[in-house]
Amino acid sequence: MIAKTPPMGWNSWDCYGAAVTEEIVRRNAEYMAANLKQYGYEYIVVDIQWYEPASISHAYNAFAELVMDEYGRLLPAENKFPSAKTAKVGGGCETGHMTGCNPVGCNSVGFKPLSDYIHSLGLKFGLHMMRGIPRQAVHANTAVKNTNATAKQIAQYNSVCAWNSDMYGVNAEAEGAAAYYDSVFEQFSEWGVDFVKVDDIAREFHVGELNLVRAALNKCGREMVLSVSPGPAPLREAEYFKANTNMWRITDDFWDKWALLYEMFERAEQWARHAGAGHWPDADMLPVGAINQVYGDDERTKFTADEQITMLTLWCFMRSPLMIGGELTKTDDFTFKLLTNINLLEMLSNSWCAKQIYRRRFKVEQPLGFGGLQNAQNVDNPQGEEIIWFAPRKSGGYYIAVFNTGEETRAITAELSSCELRGEYEAFDLWNKTRFVINDSLTANVNAHGAAAFLLTAR
Amino acid sequence: MIAKTPPMGWNSWDCYGAAVTEEIVRRNAEYMAANLKQYGYEYIVVDIQWYEPASISHAYNAFAELVMDEYGRLLPAENKFPSAKTAKVGGGCETGHMTGCNPVGCNSVGFKPLSDYIHSLGLKFGLHMMRGIPRQAVHANTAVKNTNATAKQIAQYNSVCAWNSDMYGVNAEAEGAAAYYDSVFEQFSEWGVDFVKVDDIAREFHVGELNLVRAALNKCGREMVLSVSPGPAPLREAEYFKANTNMWRITDDFWDKWALLYEMFERAEQWARHAGAGHWPDADMLPVGAINQVYGDDERTKFTADEQITMLTLWCFMRSPLMIGGELTKTDDFTFKLLTNINLLEMLSNSWCAKQIYRRRFKVEQPLGFGGLQNAQNVDNPQGEEIIWFAPRKSGGYYIAVFNTGEETRAITAELSSCELRGEYEAFDLWNKTRFVINDSLTANVNAHGAAAFLLTAR
Amino acid sequence: MIAKTPPMGWNSWDCYGAAVTEEIVRRNAEYMAANLKQYGYEYIVVDIQWYEPASISHAYNAFAELVMDEYGRLLPAENKFPSAKTAKVGGGCETGHMTGCNPVGCNSVGFKPLSDYIHSLGLKFGLHMMRGIPRQAVHANTAVKNTNATAKQIAQYNSVCAWNSDMYGVNAEAEGAAAYYDSVFEQFSEWGVDFVKVDDIAREFHVGELNLVRAALNKCGREMVLSVSPGPAPLREAEYFKANTNMWRITDDFWDKWALLYEMFERAEQWARHAGAGHWPDADMLPVGAINQVYGDDERTKFTADEQITMLTLWCFMRSPLMIGGELTKTDDFTFKLLTNINLLEMLSNSWCAKQIYRRRFKVEQPLGFGGLQNAQNVDNPQGEEIIWFAPRKSGGYYIAVFNTGEETRAITAELSSCELRGEYEAFDLWNKTRFVINDSLTANVNAHGAAAFLLTAR
Amino acid sequence: MIAKTPPMGWNSWDCYGAAVTEEIVRRNAEYMAANLKQYGYEYIVVDIQWYEPASISHAYNAFAELVMDEYGRLLPAENKFPSAKTAKVGGGCETGHMTGCNPVGCNSVGFKPLSDYIHSLGLKFGLHMMRGIPRQAVHANTAVKNTNATAKQIAQYNSVCAWNSDMYGVNAEAEGAAAYYDSVFEQFSEWGVDFVKVDDIAREFHVGELNLVRAALNKCGREMVLSVSPGPAPLREAEYFKANTNMWRITDDFWDKWALLYEMFERAEQWARHAGAGHWPDADMLPVGAINQVYGDDERTKFTADEQITMLTLWCFMRSPLMIGGELTKTDDFTFKLLTNINLLEMLSNSWCAKQIYRRRFKVEQPLGFGGLQNAQNVDNPQGEEIIWFAPRKSGGYYIAVFNTGEETRAITAELSSCELRGEYEAFDLWNKTRFVINDSLTANVNAHGAAAFLLTAR
């Protein structure tokens, strides 16, 4: 089984958008091998537009000319990924790579050299792809490999991505549609891909094409983590995603804004029960450290330290994949410690059944209910909530986290009875690394937008 | 804390509808004390229409004349609950407490004698109430106890129950509204009520009145389990129900039909994570044994034995309250064993974090996904699903259940990896009481509409 | 055929709300007979709460005690309508017809004396009724006249008006339901009612009860205009209203606010085509002159003179009934002229097929279209529109109106071609009583919120 | 003003779909000039795909190669429209017409020769166009005439027609977008186009592009009828369509099926009031005579004679444009008489204010209402309706039509009072050409799905 625990790694999007290059990928891989691999990080994922020579930011060029082969399969743009270009074999373009490739001596080896290098570092190679077939393949009416079908016959002209003009959707019922996806995964397999992020397929849920993707992956002869985007994936399709993918985005693109982090509590609460070996709800990349490098070398995450602690805590409790968004070679000390908290990271493999115990507004004027608390919903003027998460630890003990969504530091008490525990425990503070004894309840001072997390062991 | 584990008991509705009498209640209490108390059953709940002299089935009489006191509070109909009637103290009021009764000489003792008797058996007494104030109290404009307000001032004329004409809703903002609910709970407290089922308040979510109910209960000086009906309660209000009630209905009235049981899988999947000490999602009474007695002495549940096993298994995994619906004195051997499976009942206190692991259609023609399985949703022609539930056992080991919603017996295999387990375990079959050893997977033959449940312990 | 042209008259609601009395009715009738009858006004309509002794404003008393007879039929409150009270015939019942009154000696003559008086003035008598049966009739379980049924058997306990607590809806399928409505119309017939305004039946469209009302009216032996309220009646039911009623409200209560008048343009445009002999879309009473008298003798309409001219013009073009809302005896000169513009009023009988020709925003920056105009819809920042209405005059000539919804006086030109006319016409200004010649187009200076209307005759 | 009365003509779609050729157009024009012009028919409209060499039926070829010029403007496919091809001027493609044109000597004169011919017959020339810019222009990134912009800059990649792959929508805000539409209309103007049918713009209401179309037409120096498709156009945009277009489709494609004709009654009732000089609700082509010729020479309409009479009657009462759908040279006698009923056709210019008087189900068991009729809406089991339309005749007299939507011949009586008429009239039967005298009511025997129409003149 692949992805037995939530995948960990790095993704190029948050720091380089549509402008990622081979040099960037190599140096981030080298940093990971040297510094992060020991903590479990292993995937190096090249995100969107690796086949587009001209993109230079997070923006897309409409109707951009893409590099592709004679079967309408995309190839690395060689100005961005030079190792894809091989020496001229003879005269002329022998393998027929079309638009954008230098016709003389065209003989792309694709991502094989880069993938080999990443593997040589003991890491794994991930690659992004869009649902569908390139528009330019359709307009050039390229052949579908191993078939008599052509691009025009399998393209669905009115199934187009809302935010990127590169592709047409494929009519999953058309003859040749399955063969096309097979040919893409055949190539990915040859290139040594270990992780594929399929985009424009999960929020607008294109089940026909996703079935073809799954089948092609199964046939291609190589195991790859199947990650689907963008989010939010529809909750009603949870069983499909669990059975057919390894991770699926539960949110739209996540960035370094409190409002987005705040919203994640609700999504995490709804999706956590669907986390399990081989299938993980994905809260998106961690926008930490040196993100947005494409806009300036000095760009850094706008999250406060407390917000980052909240983020890592929540991601680990819900067991989301952890994909780092920042340029790794610029990792500062705080960020490094944030990402390598081994006691917290242990949750990815050694907890289960995590759930939100409760979520309650504070500053209630008229305490209600047996616990003196009240409705967190239908709140016109929320003053902040305290949120408790809990998870048994497989090898013994319990994890508990306390979040404060309010704007001021606050002493928050969690009655252990709400977790169905009672009596004395040793509490180990996972962020402050302190230990203390509690009895029937646990109180923590939690900063605004912050979190505290503990491992409880019976005494 | 009250309701630390899911409440267990008996409720009069499934067998006697709106026609329950004191004699019925007493004999069921006696049976419970003698036969079921040792298994954890303790609540004897008198359901709707105890104040209506004329109701004789599950039907309601529109605009029925109800028995009430001078403050618009309902009293037991003495033809149904004779112990409520006391000796005449002075002159007048010989016919009991009818509309607008003269307070001089009016001296019902209400449910105090019956409650005392139930307590003498070591059991607890539960009572049903409708949201609101009796229509006839409003039309008689009775006083609200301890206030200058009257019934007309607190009644909301256009807030009426859709299925019963007894009450007007109360305008929670009106002066006297809180005092009215206080007066009702004062009386319930005097009567020795231990469990109150508040109806017409959870599906149409009347939060204003429910806040008043909660506050009145808090003030009344007696602990009572607060159960709210009917269902389905809105999932988005989960945190409110957890904070303010002890159990809330997650379904409309549940009866002995497979379609209703089948639907419960989805509700259980959504609500299970909200079960916890003090607050339990309520899948409604168990329509087992001698239900529907009001239509004939020989009436019995129409559920098959396998369906009943499925029901008990699902209720215990999700930790629903267990309220028996049948006439207890007619309990047959099968039903008795069903209700007293101590290994299964142990789940109510000794499991946590139960969740559905997956739900998958079988008979797939074109296997898809890494597990050869596919989408359970959007299915026009389902041929049955296999459903796996899992829960760690607090004191060690794991519970696993396998359900078959199809129409034929089926060998179902659960890979332990789907539960994040591996290796050798002893499996104890909770229904067949057999033991065997498994390694990495568990296979069970499960009848149509049936279930198998196991306790796994590491070897 | 009744209501061959749109009914004209006076209604008590705008000036006296739920506090109308016989004295008020008589003096308004007298004024009408002396001053307005010659212009076509003839209906004197007593609106809601004539059976409620205690109402004193536009507000309703919840659960008010109503005056009714032994069959649950409402009777005039004698403190408000003293002529309804007759000499005591025998023993008992001195206080008039209250709940559960003893039929012996009970002998209200209802509205007969008042109706006779109104008829003696050459006018017609209108009366309001609510859908349903009085709550107190239900709680007293009165008999339904000429049947064995009782009020409880025909009342629908959960069909209640959203804004008034007097009645329960009637279950149209119940035995006795038709007989109940028959008995009400029998009484209305005896009282000499000529116009009945049935309330709580048109917006929430209670077709079952409205069918019973229609049938009862057909059987009762007296012609009455059937007017249904409140609005907005659903447009999709236009054919029903045309076939079964004489007028139906197309709007919620209309008051002296520009926003409400502005909205009426859209409703008028949609409904005008459904106006025809016997069936008229009703834009509600005209809140002119001395309205709101219940709040002070000096209260007057807040509409400007221009807005009132707009209102009368629009009502007459669409051929709405004209029911005056103000206390007639306080009619000032402007209001009198407004209401008695015979050239405009002629439209009620001598125009047909009126329609809005167009409605266009002005102050367009980028003129579009063959007429240099553009979309009136989807406008975030409307700066006013010019609106043209047109109607052929049956006996020759054409009516044309020009409205200015903007905030400044504006010269508005209507090309006659937009009305499919061309050439020379004499234009008679219906409000200013001037005459001039036009050729192919007509230009008028129209005040803010104002209107101009013309009769065109070919030269 | 253009289109002062509803346009009349012929359109190629119903008979030839996407396969229309010059030869077809010429012979239909010749027939019209000889036989129909005297009745008012004058537009010869070439519908979709005249630029697509390969289409041969009503179907579209996905990603078809279109003929276009160097500015991305479509040109007639010369295999279909040979007159568009001129003699070779010199060597090479001097004017740069691109894809699909013969590069040697390419110098298309477009539709000028065909248009000239049509004009020479005394007729007018109409042409279809799709919203947007050809996909292949975008992928070739052609220049936008008279600008520095290119196709890629103005195309909106995710605004694509749902049913045809030829075009991308244009981003109306983009620089160059207006110039592009200007260039298209410049060409249409040069070609002598008199009528343009813009498709993919009215149902999905693309107001930005439609504004550009309107502005381009205004600027181009030639008057053209602006017709927009497909329908149903949104009713809420009526004022926009009236101000900016000459005709707009009120229905999806209309074909020879009773269900579609039946639905048109409702649309006609809603839209008729928006008909007026210069702006006409368009009920689509008349599928009469030899339609569907692309599937066989012997194909004929499946409408019965009565249904065709109903259709023409309804179209003329609502004053829809009349565009003939059949191959004209195969017009049979019935069809010819149907299309040339001068007394009916007179309605297009000499009636106004037509409206549906009522629509009533017949076979009512329990007659209701003052007319003994009842609700036409909310009918589970309709047994047919009688529908009355009425319109004053400008030059005197009245038109009245009686429709029978039931399945049996039926004598239908229309009371003249429902049209606000009374007394004696001479009735001239517009279809049977008979005359008779009526008094206060008119009775006609109307066949199933049929209609009768009359001109009434006072005696």
Side-chain angles (χ1 to χ4, degrees), chain A residues 237 269 273 319 378 420, chain B residues 269 273 319 378 420:
Chain A
E237 298 292 347
E269 195 276 324
R273 69 193 194 269
R319 300 169 87 192
N378 298 329
E420 302 187 52
Chain B
E269 195 277 324
R273 68 192 194 271
R319 298 170 87 192
N378 299 328
E420 301 187 53

Side-chain angles (χ1 to χ4, degrees), chain B residues 313 317 343-344 347 389-391 393 397-402 412 414 426-436 438 442-446 451-457:
Chain B
T313 303
F317 265 77
N343 299 111
L344 189 79
M347 292 196 72
W389 277 71
F390 173 76
R393 183 160 170 267
Y398 314 100
Y399 293 105
I400 188 167
V402 181
I412 296 179
E426 183 190 83
F428 173 60
D429 184 322
L430 298 178
W431 288 107
N432 292 327
K433 314 292 183 186
T434 57
R435 290 172 198 278
F436 54 102
I438 62 171
L442 181 156
T443 298
N445 280 304
V446 187
F454 305 90
L455 172 62
L456 304 187
T457 43

Side-chain angles (χ1 to χ4, degrees), chain B residues 390-408:
Chain B
F390 173 76
R393 183 160 170 267
K394 288 181 191 170
S395 56
Y398 314 100
Y399 293 105
I400 188 167
V402 181
F403 299 93
N404 172 13
T405 71
E407 304 300 323
E408 292 174 6

Side-chain angles (χ1 to χ4, degrees), chain A residues 104-116:
Chain A
V104 181
C106 177
N107 200 11
S108 174
V109 292
F111 278 114
K112 191 66 168 56
L114 179 56
S115 169
D116 285 347

Side-chain angles (χ1 to χ4, degrees), chain C residues 3 49 237 281 311 376:
Chain C
Q49 300 295 81
E237 298 292 347
M311 175 171 62

Side-chain angles (χ1 to χ4, degrees), chain A residues 1 4 205 207 211 214-215 218 236-246 269-270 272-280 319 348-349 351-353 355-360 367-378 390 392 394 398 417-422, chain B residues 1 4 205 207 211 214-215 218 236-246 269-270 272-280 319 348-349 351-353 355-360 367-378 390 392 394 398 417-422:
Chain A
M1 178 190 286
K4 230 168 79 176
F205 180 53
V207 65
N211 284 342
R214 180 72 256 173
N218 287 356
R236 68 178 178 278
E237 298 292 347
E239 295 300 328
Y240 180 90
F241 290 115
K242 284 156 73 174
N244 291 288
T245 78
N246 301 111
E269 195 276 324
Q270 293 171 324
R273 69 193 194 269
H274 295 296
H279 48 86
W280 308 100
R319 300 169 87 192
L348 298 187
S349 57
S351 75
W352 52 10
C353 305
K355 66 174 178 176
Q356 181 181 295
I357 293 295
Y358 60 75
R359 178 176 186 164
R360 290 176 183 164
L368 289 170
F370 62 90
L373 301 157
Q374 73 179 33
N375 190 3
Q377 263 73 39
N378 298 329
F390 172 77
K394 288 182 192 172
Y398 315 99
S417 62
S418 70
C419 305
E420 302 187 52
L421 300 175
R422 62 175 171 175
Chain B
M1 178 190 284
K4 232 168 77 176
F205 181 53
V207 65
N211 283 342
R214 180 71 255 172
N218 287 356
R236 67 177 180 279
E237 298 292 347
E239 295 301 326
Y240 180 90
F241 290 115
K242 282 156 75 174
N244 292 287
T245 77
N246 301 110
E269 195 277 324
Q270 294 171 326
R273 68 192 194 271
H274 295 296
H279 49 86
W280 309 101
R319 298 170 87 192
L348 297 187
S349 57
S351 74
W352 51 9
C353 305
K355 65 175 179 176
Q356 180 180 297
I357 293 295
Y358 61 74
R359 176 176 186 164
R360 290 175 184 166
L368 289 170
F370 62 90
L373 301 156
Q374 72 179 32
N375 191 2
Q377 264 74 37
N378 299 328
F390 173 76
K394 288 181 191 170
Y398 314 100
S417 63
S418 69
C419 305
E420 301 187 53
L421 300 175
R422 61 174 173 176

Side-chain angles (χ1 to χ4, degrees), chain A residues 9 152 216 269 316 329 374 411 416 426-427:
Chain A
K152 286 190 182 179
E269 195 276 324
C316 287
T329 63
Q374 73 179 33
L416 293 191
E426 184 189 80

Side-chain angles (χ1 to χ4, degrees), chain C residues 272-342:
Chain C
R273 69 192 193 271
H274 295 297
H279 48 86
W280 309 101
D282 174 10
D284 205 7
M285 278 88 79
L286 301 163
V288 294
I291 58 172
N292 282 323
Q293 296 303 292
V294 76
Y295 305 115
D297 286 349
D298 299 334
E299 293 286 333
R300 292 294 181 278
T301 184
K302 293 192 177 62
F303 272 140
T304 65
D306 286 309
E307 288 166 346
Q308 293 180 65
I309 284 168
T310 289
M311 175 171 62
L312 263 288
T313 304
L314 186 59
W315 266 236
C316 287
F317 266 78
M318 72 174 291
R319 300 170 88 193
S320 171
L322 296 183
M323 306 301 285
I324 304 168
E327 161 65 51
L328 295 180
T329 62
K330 296 183 181 173
T331 305
D332 59 277
D333 190 56
F334 169 81
T335 305
F336 186 80
K337 285 182 177 150
L338 182 81
L339 297 171
T340 59
N341 182 333
I342 54 169

